[in-house]
């Protein structure tokens, strides 16, 4: 094919006319890529087009490029990857428009980028997404982790497809006449490619989810099921709306999805799934009357056109007047077809059509028979499982009967102990009454001590009067204080001794109560305790009498001190007269100093005011400079984060509070201006920084939020200038209020809080330290579990013998192997995380990287906790099994739980890892080791259970037909009861798993990002 012809077709397909792309031009572009085995000519022509200035041109480019990615040569993807950054920039540029083709172009470009990324990550998928089931399995390499990641990528791909679907429908008037206009068809035409992609993505997602549910626990995949159901509802609604449009009815046959989504919890539901098939009729044509073909038809260009189709088209256009045409020589030679021949041909065509339809029905019936056979096999397996569960239920019934007998015996013993306890409580009440009497006597001692304190307070008042005298009596007053202090210390010591004695008494009483409750022996012990209390009471009475004697002595000492205080007061009166004369002379000198100080104070006040004015003017210049940057074109390239803006606005709010406090302090004391000067300077810098950071943050957020943030920053700066201007006026200094400025700063902080990425609630240090702590705790838990298993193995060898010792050794050896595999997995996960942090953090610290990727970090923390907890629980279950007190089923459930927890840890560690990383390969190898160790433990447990449990064989030799029939009916009744109980337990298990997932989602924030998968 001539490349110049291809360039002309590209320019004709991608033009500014608001009509759908003509199919012949698009087909020429596709054939051109196969001819040159690449897309160099296509991109060379596209680079000359003004895609950034014309939205319609960009929309039609996206349509043609989508067709090339689907039906063009495989090298189109490789040649287009180098233009991916340009497509991303163009998407962000068109994203600033909220309506029209601009918004549609932004969403379409995001879809194309997502499609390119998907095919780069999954090279097994062709551009048109057509694969067989075997090819789908090979794409995942039969690894559950690959299938898990592939499902997430398909969810993201489907999300972009649905967003474009919804955007196109929301931009149109959804009346039926809209789909037949040229402008409507221009917008609807790309949706044909979207429908083709969505049908395949839906089919593959269903198959992958069934495969994941067969390998992983259901609660681990709850998020996948929720996201699938949401996309299922959207896709079903959009398919239904599209099928009603006249434009699509003649171009494509859109499949209808089932009424309800598949039930992934039931494995047999996979046989009920029918892959949706999009049919493009051969007679369908595009709006420009060009035949719409698929890629398979486009590549085969060697097939010549059928002459019969050309003749039919000529007859359809000009009529079939062969009988009356004078130039029809066939009629002159008698070779024209009469009515019978035409009827025979028509019947032949109908027979061929019926044969094709019959073959289709035969294939469909064969598929249905195969599905029914698989369903019958599954039902037979379920029946066998039910029979096995029946046998287990019989054994558990016997065990429950034995437990019921034990509970009855325990209940009788409890009633006996309750009667003994009642007798002991009655005796304890008698001791409580004795304690109450002792407490009343102690209250009397406290009252007498309070009287001493009141007397001490009176002495302190007298000493306060003496303290007002002149310095000559200072020595006498000091001596008085020392004496009073000694008396007070002695009183406090006595009080402390009394309190300590009371505490000793209380402790003794508590010990006597504990002895009564624990020993519950006889009345003799309580009598001995009462005698001891009586002896202590007599001792306390003696101490009370000695304290009374000391109080009498102290009162005598206090009376002596009062007489001495009177003598001191007389000497103070004489000294006061001489002091008055000296004070008059000093007053004259003080008046002179005050006059000089007033002059200096006035000069100092003017200097303070000038300094304050200078600081306010400097703060105004800083704020004004920050406001001027908002309109500076060079500032548009500056960016900042919402988290940093929150910290700046919070600091500015705190500075406003400090400035208000410094202002109040200055109004109270005009001499203290230093704090106000520091607050004004700090205020100017923080408010200016908040304005600049707010403007820089607005460059990183959507247009509407950017406008609101810019307006809030500008208003805040204007209010800050007004606030500083009012502070400069001395008359209005006392009435300046910062409430409005505080409100504006709070508004900026609130907007920044909304823009903050989720997961930053923890500080960087806390989140990073928490990751290290959880990983270390997991390692410690695994090592402790391994040590406990070794200890249990030693005890089992010493205590058990025969079959039991063999079973215990095999189970504990499997547990040890599993612990070693988990330990290797945790170490590999640490190494991989270290590589991820080192390769992804750049110039930032490790803790900043963890805080930036908080959702991934929280997933690591949750997975580490689950692994450590599972190891601890499994060791406890193994201990009980070895002791003969536990159930083998508990150990098997713990093994499955550990497998699920390690799979969660591998998925959390792998999501940000480089696929070529050596540590990633080690982690995958360690994951396989854990899986093998888990399977070995389950097999050992089942084998040990079959060895230990005794097989009872029934003796039917002495039973009559009636007795056997009777026991058969009893067994059927028991089976029905156990089946009912089993169904209820399964429902309860489902509810427990659902609640567990909800609580886990609340704890980790899953509910906050429902739309992000």
């Amino acid at each position: 094919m001539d490349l110049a012809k291809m360039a002309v077709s590209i320019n004709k397909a991608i033009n500014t006319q608001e009509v759908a792309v003509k199919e012949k031009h698009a087909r020429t572009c596709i054939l051109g890529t196969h001819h040159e085995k690449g897309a160099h000519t296509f991109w060379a022509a596209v680079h000359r087009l003004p895609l950034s200035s014309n939205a319609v041109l960009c929309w039609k480019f996206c349509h043609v490029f989508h067709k090339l990615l689907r039906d063009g040569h495989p090298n189109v993807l490789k040649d287009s990857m180098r233009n991916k950054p340009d497509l991303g920039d163009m998407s962000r540029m068109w994203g600033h428009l909220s309506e029209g083709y601009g918004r549609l172009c932004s969403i379409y470009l995001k879809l194309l980028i997502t499609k390119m990324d998907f095919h780069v990550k999954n090279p097994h998928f062709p551009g048109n997404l057509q694969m067989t089931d075997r090819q789908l399995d090979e794409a995942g390499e039969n690894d559950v982790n690959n299938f898990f990641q592939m499902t997430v990528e398909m969810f993201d791909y489907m999300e972009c497809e649905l967003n474009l679907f919804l955007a196109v429908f929301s931009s149109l008037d959804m009346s039926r006449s809209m789909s037949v206009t040229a402008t409507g068809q221009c917008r609807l035409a790309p949706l044909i490619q979207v429908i083709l992609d969505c049908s395949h993505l839906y089919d593959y997602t269903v198959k992958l989810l069934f495969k994941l549910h067969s390998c992983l626990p259901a609660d681990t995949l709850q998020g996948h099921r929720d996201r699938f159901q949401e996309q299922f509802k959207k896709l079903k609604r959009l398919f239904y709306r599209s099928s009603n449009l006249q434009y699509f009815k003649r171009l494509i046959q859109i499949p209808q999805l089932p009424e309800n989504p598949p039930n992934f919890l039931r494995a047999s539901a996979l046989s009920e799934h029918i892959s949706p098939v999009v049919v493009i009729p051969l007679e369908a044509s595009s709006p420009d009357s060009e035949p719409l073909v698929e890629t398979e038809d486009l590549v085969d260009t060697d097939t010549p056109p059928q002459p019969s189709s050309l003749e039919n088209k000529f007859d359809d256009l000009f009529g079939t007047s062969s009988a009356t045409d004078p130039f029809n020589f066939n009629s002159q030679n008698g070779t024209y077809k009469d009515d019978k021949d035409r009827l025979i041909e028509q019947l032949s065509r109908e027979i061929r059509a019926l044969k094709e339809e019959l073959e289709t029905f035969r294939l469909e019936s064969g598929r249905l028979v195969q599905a029914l056979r698989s369903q019958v096999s599954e039902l037979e397996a379920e029946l066998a499982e039910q029979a096995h569960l029946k046998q287990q239920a019989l054994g558990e019934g016997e065990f429950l009967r034995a437990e019921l007998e034990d509970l009855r015996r325990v209940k009788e013993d409890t009633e006996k102990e309750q009667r003994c306890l009642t007798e002991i409580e009655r005796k304890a009440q008698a001791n409580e009454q004795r304690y109450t009497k002792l407490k009343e006597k102690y209250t009397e001692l406290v009252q007498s001590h309070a009287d001493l304190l009141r007397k001490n307070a009176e002495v302190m008042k007298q000493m306060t009067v003496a303290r007002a005298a002149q310095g000559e009596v200072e020595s006498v007053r000091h001596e008085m204080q020392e004496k009073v202090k000694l008396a007070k210390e002695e009183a406090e010591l006595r009080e402390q001794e009394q309190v300590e004695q009371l505490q000793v008494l209380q402790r003794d009483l508590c010990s006597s109560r504990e002895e009564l409750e624990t020993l519950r022996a006889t009345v003799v012990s309580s009598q001995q305790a009462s005698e001891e209390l009586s002896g202590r009471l007599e001792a306390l009475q003696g101490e009370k009498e000695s304290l009374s004697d000391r109080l009498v002595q102290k009162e005598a000492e206090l009376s002596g001190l009062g007489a001495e205080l009177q003598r001191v007061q007389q000497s103070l009166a004489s000294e006061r007269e001489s002091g008055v004369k000296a004070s008059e002379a000093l007053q004259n000198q003080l008046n002179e100093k005050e006059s000089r100080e007033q002059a200096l104070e006035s000069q100092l006040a003017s200097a303070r005011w000038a300094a304050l004015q200078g600081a306010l003017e400097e703060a105004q210049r800083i704020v004004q400079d920050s406001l001027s940057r908002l309109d500076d074109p060079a500032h548009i390239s500056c960016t900042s984060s919402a988290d940093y803006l929150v910290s700046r606005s919070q600091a500015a709010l705190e500075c406003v509070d400090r400035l208000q406090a410094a202002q109040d302090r200055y109004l109270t004391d005009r001499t203290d201006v230093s704090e106000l000067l520091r607050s004004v300077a700090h205020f100017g810098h923080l408010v200016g920084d908040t304005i600049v950071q707010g403007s820089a943050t607005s460059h990183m957020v959507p247009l509407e939020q950017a406008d609101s943030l810019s307006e809030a920053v500008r208003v805040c700066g204007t209010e800050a200038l007004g606030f500083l201007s009012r502070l400069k006026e001395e008359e209005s200094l006392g009435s300046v209020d910062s409430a409005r400025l505080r409100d504006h700063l709070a508004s900026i902080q609130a907007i920044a809080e909304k823009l903050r990425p989720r997961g930053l609630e923890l500080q960087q240090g806390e989140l990073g330290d928490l990751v290290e702590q959880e990983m270390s705790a997991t390692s410690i838990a695994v090592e402790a579990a391994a040590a406990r298993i070794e200890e249990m193995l030693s005890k089992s060898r010493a205590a058990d013998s025969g079959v039991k010792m063999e079973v215990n050794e095999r189970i504990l050896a499997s547990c040890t192997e599993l612990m070693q595999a988990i330990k290797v997995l945790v170490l590999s996960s640490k190494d991989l995380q270290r590589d991820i942090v080192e390769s992804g953090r750049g110039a930032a610290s490790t803790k900043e990287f963890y805080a930036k990727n908080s959702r991934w970090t929280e997933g690591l923390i949750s997975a580490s906790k689950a692994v450590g907890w599972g190891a601890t629980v499994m060791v406890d279950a193994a201990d009980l099994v070895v002791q003969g007190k536990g159930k083998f089923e508990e150990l098997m459930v713990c093994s499955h739980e550990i497998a699920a927890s390690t799979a969660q840890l591998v998925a959390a560690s792998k999501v940000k890892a480089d696929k070529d990383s050596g540590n990633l390969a080690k982690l995958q190898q360690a994951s396989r080791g854990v899986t093998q160790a888990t399977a070995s433990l389950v097999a050992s447990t089942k084998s040990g259970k079959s060895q230990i449990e005794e097989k009872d064989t029934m003796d039917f030799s002495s039973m009559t037909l009636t007795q056997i029939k009777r026991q058969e009916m009893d067994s059927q009744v028991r089976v029905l009861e156990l089946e009912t109980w089993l169904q209820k337990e399964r429902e309860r298990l489902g509810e427990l798993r659902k609640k567990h997932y909800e609580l886990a989602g609340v704890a980790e924030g899953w509910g906050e990002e429902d739309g992000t998968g």
Side-chain angles (χ1 to χ4, degrees):
M1 176 182 287
D2 189 4
L3 297 181
K5 181 180 179 182
M6 179 180 175
V8 172
S9 298
I10 293 172
N11 292 326
K12 289 183 178 181
I14 307 174
N15 54 41
T16 57
Q17 297 179 2
E18 194 173 357
V19 294
V21 176
K22 291 187 177 181
E23 191 65 29
K24 61 182 180 181
H25 301 319
R27 183 168 59 251
T28 302
C29 297
I30 294 171
L31 292 175
T33 61
H34 287 279
H35 179 73
E36 67 169 341
K37 294 181 174 54
H40 298 290
T41 305
F42 173 75
W43 283 109
V46 167
H47 285 158
R48 293 191 295 269
L49 298 176
L51 300 180
S52 301
S53 60
N54 192 304
V56 177
L57 195 70
C58 183
W59 175 255
K60 299 178 78 171
F61 156 74
C62 294
H63 185 189
V64 175
F65 184 42
H66 197 173
K67 280 179 170 289
L68 293 183
L69 288 177
R70 278 187 52 83
D71 302 329
H73 195 272
N75 290 334
V76 172
L77 178 63
K78 298 179 182 178
D79 296 339
S80 303
M81 287 303 296
R82 64 174 64 94
N83 299 285
K84 178 183 171 183
D86 297 335
L87 297 179
D89 295 338
M90 196 184 306
S91 173
R92 287 190 291 273
M93 187 272 294
W94 285 117
H96 292 294
L97 300 180
S98 59
E99 59 183 9
Y101 278 100
R103 177 170 172 268
L104 297 179
C105 289
S106 175
I107 297 174
Y108 207 165
L109 288 168
K110 290 179 182 177
L111 168 60
L112 296 176
I113 293 172
T114 303
K115 182 177 179 66
M116 294 166 66
D117 292 338
F118 178 81
H119 288 292
V120 170
K121 295 178 182 177
N122 302 279
H124 294 85
F125 284 83
N128 56 9
L129 298 176
Q130 293 181 1
M131 297 180 67
T132 62
D133 292 343
R134 187 170 63 86
Q135 291 173 338
L136 184 62
D137 293 337
E138 293 175 354
E141 300 177 356
N142 291 325
D143 188 354
V144 67
N145 297 317
N146 294 338
F147 288 131
F148 189 94
Q149 182 64 24
M150 191 186 301
T151 307
V152 174
E153 294 170 356
M154 285 188 180
F155 280 145
D156 296 337
Y157 192 178
M158 178 72 81
E159 193 72 28
C160 294
E161 301 275 7
L162 296 177
N163 289 338
L164 180 61
F165 231 131
L166 292 172
V168 172
F169 278 170
S170 61
S171 67
L172 291 174
D173 176 13
M174 290 311 295
S175 61
R176 296 195 174 186
S177 59
M178 189 64 187
S179 64
V180 298
T181 61
T183 57
Q185 292 177 1
C186 183
R187 300 190 184 194
L188 292 174
L191 295 187
I192 296 177
Q193 313 300 318
V194 174
I195 293 171
L196 292 171
D197 287 345
C198 288
S199 63
H200 293 300
L201 289 175
Y202 168 78
D203 183 33
Y204 300 153
T205 304
V206 171
K207 295 176 180 177
L208 290 178
L209 283 177
F210 273 112
K211 188 178 295 294
L212 288 176
H213 277 79
S214 65
C215 301
L216 297 178
D219 53 356
T220 304
L221 300 170
Q222 181 63 40
H224 281 53
R225 291 196 299 274
D226 294 341
R227 193 171 182 188
F228 174 80
Q229 290 179 359
E230 180 183 356
Q231 292 185 354
F232 174 82
K233 294 177 182 177
K234 292 182 181 179
L235 185 62
K236 180 180 179 182
R237 184 169 61 253
L238 293 173
F239 273 10
Y240 177 74
R241 294 175 63 182
S242 302
S243 61
N244 292 330
L245 291 179
Q246 189 65 31
Y247 175 72
F248 289 122
K249 286 184 177 180
R250 61 192 184 88
L251 293 178
I252 189 171
Q253 182 178 344
I254 301 175
Q256 295 300 322
L257 299 184
E259 186 66 24
N260 297 315
N263 184 8
F264 299 109
L265 301 179
R266 185 167 57 89
S268 59
L270 177 60
S271 61
E272 302 173 2
H273 169 67
I274 299 176
S275 301
V277 178
V278 180
V279 179
I280 299 179
L282 295 177
E283 64 274 8
S285 60
S286 63
D288 56 346
S289 299
E290 288 293 328
L292 189 64
V293 294
E294 284 293 321
T295 307
E296 291 79 359
D297 301 329
L298 292 175
V299 177
D300 189 8
T301 58
D302 298 332
T303 303
Q306 298 295 332
S308 61
S309 62
L310 297 177
E311 293 175 2
N312 292 336
K313 182 179 291 187
F314 182 85
D315 293 339
D316 292 340
L317 292 175
F318 300 101
T320 56
S321 57
S322 57
T324 59
D325 190 357
F327 299 99
N328 188 354
F329 300 100
N330 292 332
S331 62
Q332 295 176 6
N333 295 329
T335 60
Y336 67 93
K337 298 179 180 179
D338 57 3
D339 293 339
K340 290 183 179 181
D341 294 335
R342 285 194 295 273
L343 181 59
I344 291 172
E345 291 179 357
Q346 181 180 357
L347 291 174
S348 300
R349 286 195 297 270
E350 291 179 358
I351 290 171
R352 285 195 297 271
L354 290 174
K355 286 182 179 179
E356 293 176 357
E357 187 176 359
L358 180 61
E359 184 66 23
T360 303
F361 286 156
R362 185 180 296 108
L363 293 175
E364 183 68 19
S365 61
R367 189 183 65 82
L368 291 176
V369 168
Q370 188 66 27
L372 290 174
R373 287 177 180 173
S374 61
Q375 190 172 0
V376 168
S377 300
E378 292 176 359
L379 291 175
E380 290 176 350
E382 290 182 2
L383 184 60
E385 183 181 2
Q386 293 293 336
H388 179 65
L389 292 174
K390 170 188 172 182
Q391 296 296 329
Q392 292 182 352
L394 290 173
E396 291 178 0
E398 294 297 331
F399 178 73
L400 291 175
R401 289 194 189 93
E403 285 188 350
L404 182 60
E405 292 297 329
D406 294 339
L407 290 175
R408 288 175 181 173
R409 288 193 296 270
V410 171
K411 181 179 179 183
E412 293 175 357
D413 296 339
T414 305
E415 291 176 353
K416 293 179 181 178
E417 292 178 358
Q418 186 68 28
R419 289 194 293 270
C420 295
L421 182 61
T422 304
E423 182 66 21
I424 293 173
E425 287 179 352
R426 184 181 61 78
K427 296 174 182 179
Q429 289 178 357
N431 292 331
E432 185 71 23
Q433 293 175 358
R434 296 190 187 96
Y435 171 72
T436 304
K437 294 178 181 180
L438 290 176
K439 187 175 181 181
E440 291 176 354
K441 293 181 180 180
Y442 170 73
T443 305
E444 294 176 359
L445 291 176
V446 173
Q447 185 64 32
S448 63
H449 177 66
D451 295 338
L452 286 176
L453 291 178
R454 282 195 294 271
K455 292 178 181 179
N456 187 20
E458 293 176 358
V459 174
M460 291 297 296
K461 290 181 181 178
Q462 294 174 359
M463 292 303 296
T464 303
V465 175
R467 206 178 283 120
Q470 294 181 357
E472 295 178 355
V473 296
E474 188 68 24
S475 60
V476 177
R477 183 180 63 187
H478 182 68
E479 294 175 357
M480 294 292 292
Q481 287 179 349
E482 290 293 329
K483 292 179 181 180
V484 173
K485 184 177 180 181
L486 291 173
K488 182 178 179 181
E489 289 177 353
E490 290 179 359
E492 290 177 351
L493 287 174
R494 294 191 193 96
E495 180 186 2
Q496 186 175 2
E497 290 175 356
Q498 293 173 0
V499 172
E500 289 176 354
Q501 291 174 358
L502 181 60
Q503 291 177 352
V504 171
L505 182 61
Q506 289 177 346
R507 286 195 296 271
D508 293 338
L509 183 59
C510 291
S511 64
S512 65
R513 284 181 179 174
E514 291 175 356
E515 291 173 357
L516 286 173
E517 292 176 355
T518 56
L519 298 178
R520 298 177 180 177
T522 60
V523 182
V524 177
S525 61
S526 63
Q527 290 177 353
Q528 292 176 355
S530 63
E531 289 176 359
E532 291 178 1
L533 291 175
S534 299
R536 290 173 185 166
L537 180 60
E538 292 175 357
L540 287 175
Q541 190 67 28
E543 290 180 1
K544 177 184 178 184
E545 292 176 357
S546 63
L547 288 174
S548 300
D549 296 337
R550 291 180 184 178
L551 284 175
V552 172
Q553 294 176 2
K554 291 302 176 183
E555 287 177 355
E557 292 177 0
L558 288 175
S559 63
L561 290 174
E564 188 176 357
L565 183 61
Q566 289 179 358
R567 290 194 300 272
V568 172
Q569 287 178 349
Q570 291 175 359
S571 63
L572 285 175
S574 61
E575 294 293 336
R576 190 179 293 111
E577 293 178 357
S578 60
V580 169
K581 295 179 182 179
S583 64
E584 290 178 353
L586 292 173
Q587 186 65 35
N588 295 329
Q589 297 177 1
L590 183 61
N591 292 334
E592 294 178 358
K593 290 182 179 179
E594 286 180 353
S595 61
R596 289 196 298 271
E597 287 178 356
Q598 288 177 357
L600 293 174
E601 186 66 29
S602 61
Q603 296 177 2
L604 186 60
S606 61
R608 294 192 193 100
W609 181 252
L612 180 59
Q613 292 291 320
L616 291 171
E617 290 176 358
E618 182 63 25
Q620 281 183 321
R621 282 195 292 271
I622 292 173
V623 176
Q624 187 62 46
D625 179 65
S626 300
L627 286 174
S628 64
R629 293 188 187 181
L630 300 181
D631 301 324
D632 189 0
H635 182 63
I636 296 177
S637 61
C638 297
T639 59
S640 181
S641 64
D643 185 54
Y644 185 67
L645 178 58
V646 170
S647 64
R648 293 292 83 197
S649 58
Q650 180 63 33
L653 281 171
E654 295 174 356
C655 184
V656 170
D657 296 336
R658 290 196 298 272
L659 179 59
Q660 189 69 41
Q663 176 189 351
D664 298 338
R665 193 178 303 112
Y666 176 73
L667 292 175
T668 305
D669 183 9
R670 295 291 181 122
T671 61
D672 186 10
V673 74
S674 59
E675 182 64 25
L676 184 58
L677 289 175
R678 287 194 294 270
S679 299
V680 168
H682 196 201
F683 169 80
H685 286 288
L686 286 178
V687 172
D689 193 15
T690 301
I691 294 172
V692 173
Q693 297 301 328
S695 176
T697 304
S698 67
H699 300 154
M700 299 290 292
V701 300
L703 187 59
E704 295 180 357
Q705 296 174 341
D707 293 341
S708 62
L709 181 57
S710 300
E711 183 63 24
V713 167
R714 197 180 300 276
V715 172
C716 178
T718 305
E719 180 61 28
L721 291 176
F723 177 72
L724 294 173
S725 300
R726 292 192 294 274
L727 287 178
K728 290 174 63 176
E729 299 176 0
E730 189 171 4
E731 295 80 6
S732 62
L733 182 62
S735 61
V736 174
D737 187 12
S738 61
R740 293 178 58 188
L741 178 59
R742 194 178 290 105
D743 293 340
H744 291 307
L745 287 173
S747 175
I748 294 175
Q749 186 179 11
I751 296 173
E753 286 287 353
K754 295 179 181 178
L755 297 175
R756 289 181 71 183
R758 298 175 182 174
L760 295 181
E761 290 79 7
L762 288 173
Q763 296 294 330
Q764 294 178 358
E766 296 176 1
L767 192 57
D769 294 340
L770 188 58
V771 174
E772 298 297 333
Q773 292 172 6
E774 289 299 335
M775 293 302 292
S776 300
T778 301
S779 300
I780 293 172
V782 173
E783 292 175 357
R788 282 189 61 191
I789 291 172
E790 292 294 334
E791 181 180 356
M792 286 188 287
L793 185 57
S794 301
K795 291 181 180 180
S796 176
R797 289 172 177 171
D800 299 329
S801 63
V803 177
K804 186 175 182 182
M805 184 180 69
E806 179 185 354
V807 171
N808 291 343
E809 286 184 351
R810 188 161 60 247
I811 291 176
L812 292 178
S814 299
C815 291
T816 303
E817 181 183 354
L818 179 57
M819 289 298 106
Q820 294 298 328
I822 292 175
K823 186 176 180 180
V824 173
L825 177 70
V826 173
L827 294 177
S828 301
S829 178
K830 284 185 178 180
D831 296 338
L832 181 59
Q833 291 170 27
R834 193 178 300 110
D835 290 349
I836 293 171
V837 172
E838 291 300 326
S839 63
R841 66 186 180 92
S845 64
T846 301
K847 296 179 179 179
E848 291 174 351
F849 176 82
Y850 280 128
K852 180 179 179 182
N853 301 274
S854 59
R855 181 60 58 205
W856 174 70
T857 305
E858 290 171 0
L860 284 179
I861 293 171
S862 175
S864 300
K865 287 181 179 179
V867 172
W869 176 83
T872 304
V873 173
M874 191 204 71
V875 173
D876 294 337
D879 192 8
L880 292 176
V881 169
V882 170
Q883 295 177 8
K885 301 178 181 179
K887 298 179 180 180
F888 290 94
E889 289 78 5
E890 294 179 358
L891 191 56
M892 288 187 284
V893 170
C894 292
S895 303
H896 291 303
E897 186 66 26
I898 285 181
S901 302
T902 53
Q904 181 182 358
L905 179 61
V906 171
S909 301
K910 181 182 175 183
V911 69
K912 284 188 173 292
D914 185 5
K915 63 179 182 179
D916 298 328
S917 173
N919 287 325
L920 177 59
K922 293 180 181 178
L923 180 63
Q924 291 175 340
Q925 183 65 30
S927 174
R928 298 186 187 99
V930 171
T931 303
Q932 294 174 359
T934 303
S936 176
L937 177 57
V938 173
S940 299
T941 305
K942 290 182 178 179
S943 176
K945 179 182 177 183
S946 62
Q947 282 183 307
I948 290 178
E949 290 182 347
E950 296 180 356
K951 305 295 184 178
D952 294 335
T953 58
M954 298 184 64
D955 185 12
F956 301 103
S957 60
S958 61
M959 297 177 65
T960 63
L961 178 62
T962 305
Q963 291 175 344
I964 292 176
K965 187 63 176 178
R966 180 60 183 177
Q967 290 195 9
E968 180 183 356
M969 292 176 63
D970 294 340
S971 178
Q972 289 178 353
V973 171
R974 182 60 178 165
V975 167
L976 292 176
E977 291 176 353
L978 292 175
E979 287 178 349
T980 304
W981 176 79
L982 179 62
Q983 182 65 27
K984 291 181 180 179
E985 284 298 319
R986 283 180 173 172
E987 293 176 356
R988 181 171 177 268
L989 177 61
E991 293 296 329
L992 287 174
R993 286 177 174 173
K994 182 178 180 182
K995 189 62 179 178
H996 172 263
Y997 184 80
E998 291 177 358
L999 294 177
V1002 171
E1004 300 183 11
W1006 301 343
E1008 299 175 355
E1009 300 184 359
D1010 291 337
T1012 63

